[in-house]
Structures are given as C-alpha cells and as structure tokens.
Amino acid sequence: MTAPTPSSPQPGRPSGPEPGRQPLHDPWAARPPAGEGVDTPERGGPTGEVVGASDLWQWILTAVAVTAGGALLGLLWWWLAPDVAYISDGRDAFLRNNESEDSFGVQGTFALLAAALGVLSGLVAFLLRRAGGVGVVLGLASGGVLGSWAGAWFGGLLGPGGDLTARAVEAGRGGVFSGPLELSGWVLWLLWPLAALTTHLLLVAAFGPREAAPRVPPQSWGTPQDRPPKDVSPQDRPPNSAVPPAPQHPRPQPPGEPPRP
C-alpha cells in the first residue's frame, strides 16, 4: 500500500500564497517550539516576571502592618485570658486544680483572638486593595505568622513570670500564685494567616473586579478563493488569477466543409 501522490499545481493557479494575502489556517499544523515566538520565564518575556517591584513593596507594607497588630493580640490575650492557679510546696509548683479548664481557656482565648484579627486583616486588605495581588497575599501570610509570634511574646511579657520554680520558692510552702501565659504549640500561630487568606480570597472572589473575557475569533478551515467578476471574459483574466480560465474547445465542423483557420 503506497502513499498518495500529491497533485501537481494546475496551470494558471499560483503554487504559494499571493503577496498581501494571509495564509490559510491549518488546524493540523505543528505548533512552534517553546523557544520560538513564545515568551517564557527563561527568556525574560512578559510571563517571566513573577513578582515585580510593586508587588514587593505591597508585600513589605502588608507584612509590617499585620505584624504590628501582634501588639493588640498580646494585649487582648493578657486581658481576657483566665488565670491559671498554681500551688507551691516550697520548691516546685503544681496546678491547684488538676481538672480546671483554665489552662485550656488560655489556649482557646489566643486561638479566638488570632482568628478574629485574621478576619479583620483580610477585610482591611481587601478594602484597601480590591484587585488583590501576589504582594498582598504574601504579606497576609508572612505578617500573620509574625503577628501571632509577636502577640504570644508580648502577652507573656505582660503576664506573670514564666519561671515557675523561682516563683514557687518565693511563694513558700502552700502559697498560691498565677501561672504564666504560654502556648502549648506553635500550630496556633497559623490561625491568623489562615483566617486572613481565607477571608481575602472569599471577598476577592465575590466582590473583586471582573476581567473582560477575551474574544476568540472563530477558526475556519480556509478562506474562500477570490472569484473574478462576471463581466470579465476568460481572455481578460490575469495570468495569476486564483481561478483558472475555462478550456476553449473547437467547434465541431459540419461534414464536407473545409476546416476553418
């Protein structure tokens, strides 16, 4: 089984596209390689710059503003968190009530305050920057983590001292004192950035600016060939016309009549 032989160009029809006419669309043509005619990040085209200068400044400003809110978190945590009572035996400190929920209340108060400040920071970031952007998202994420760390440090600084042994010796045998404000793990630091990013994402998706959908031109299988006007005779057609002239057949001669020149 042999491959079909391509047909030879007809006389009067140009073999290639005419000057000034766009070539026909070929949907089966191979796409150009990634290095030819395509802007890639390696070549430094429009898609190569992931984070620009403006996004970098937005990242820094957002992170600094959110981190500054850590002072408010620490102040509210110290004010609203319950006191955890300890009792001293003269050398060591023990919980006064082992079944008390005060120690869990300290962790829960910090978690609720961090989530509330995360929602507030996401809302403020959306109101100031409705279009969003990479810088705002990175600023909320990094600033939320740093703000949680700053709030935990500042709250512990405002609360009672953290050296339980020294305070137990100071209180004496049978003395009761309040324990320090401490977190059981660093996982609680992630509540602020998660709440901020979730709030900002939902607000941008619901009330953010909409981009106009690009209009894609319909792809056709080809362009119709130009046809010569009807009032032009086959002899007056240009030699490079797209439609070849009709073949001229001699008229049949009656029998017995000499052929005409």
Side-chain angles (χ1 to χ4, degrees):
M1 186 174 182
T2 58
T5 305
S7 59
S8 58
Q10 301 179 2
R13 182 185 296 272
S15 58
E18 298 181 4
R21 178 185 297 178
Q22 298 181 354
L24 301 180
H25 173 71
D26 188 3
W28 304 104
R31 295 183 179 181
E36 300 180 3
V38 179
D39 293 322
T40 58
E42 293 77 12
R43 300 185 62 185
T47 59
E49 188 176 3
V50 179
V51 179
S54 60
D55 294 330
L56 184 60
W57 280 110
Q58 291 176 9
W59 181 1
I60 296 175
L61 294 177
T62 305
V64 170
V66 175
T67 304
L72 179 60
L73 173 61
L75 181 61
L76 293 176
W77 187 37
W78 167 71
W79 181 32
L80 299 176
D83 294 331
V84 181
Y86 285 82
I87 188 171
S88 172
D89 63 351
R91 293 181 303 177
D92 297 324
F94 304 92
L95 286 174
R96 186 177 183 181
N97 186 2
N98 293 332
E99 298 180 357
S100 176
E101 298 179 356
D102 293 339
S103 58
F104 296 99
V106 173
Q107 314 296 325
T109 303
F110 183 90
L112 292 177
L113 291 175
L117 289 178
V119 173
L120 180 61
S121 58
L123 176 60
V124 173
F126 172 74
L127 294 178
L128 297 179
R129 181 72 177 177
R130 287 183 174 270
V134 180
V136 177
V137 174
L138 295 177
L140 289 176
S142 57
V145 175
L146 294 177
S148 298
W149 172 84
W153 172 80
F154 188 61
L157 185 64
L158 294 177
D163 192 354
L164 292 178
T165 303
R167 297 194 62 193
V169 174
E170 182 182 354
R173 186 178 182 84
V176 179
F177 57 94
S178 298
L181 292 178
E182 295 178 347
L183 295 179
S184 58
W186 57 268
V187 180
L188 295 177
W189 296 359
L190 303 179
L191 292 177
W192 188 334
L194 289 178
L197 292 176
T198 303
T199 303
H200 185 264
L201 176 61
L202 293 177
L203 291 175
V204 170
F207 306 103
R210 298 292 187 270
E211 297 181 358
R215 301 181 61 183
V216 181
Q219 296 182 357
S220 59
W221 287 95
T223 304
Q225 300 291 342
D226 298 334
R227 298 182 179 180
K230 296 181 179 180
D231 55 350
V232 179
S233 61
Q235 289 78 7
D236 297 336
R237 294 175 181 171
N240 59 347
S241 176
V243 180
Q248 302 293 331
H249 299 283
R251 297 181 178 178
Q253 300 294 334
E257 183 177 352
R260 299 180 182 179

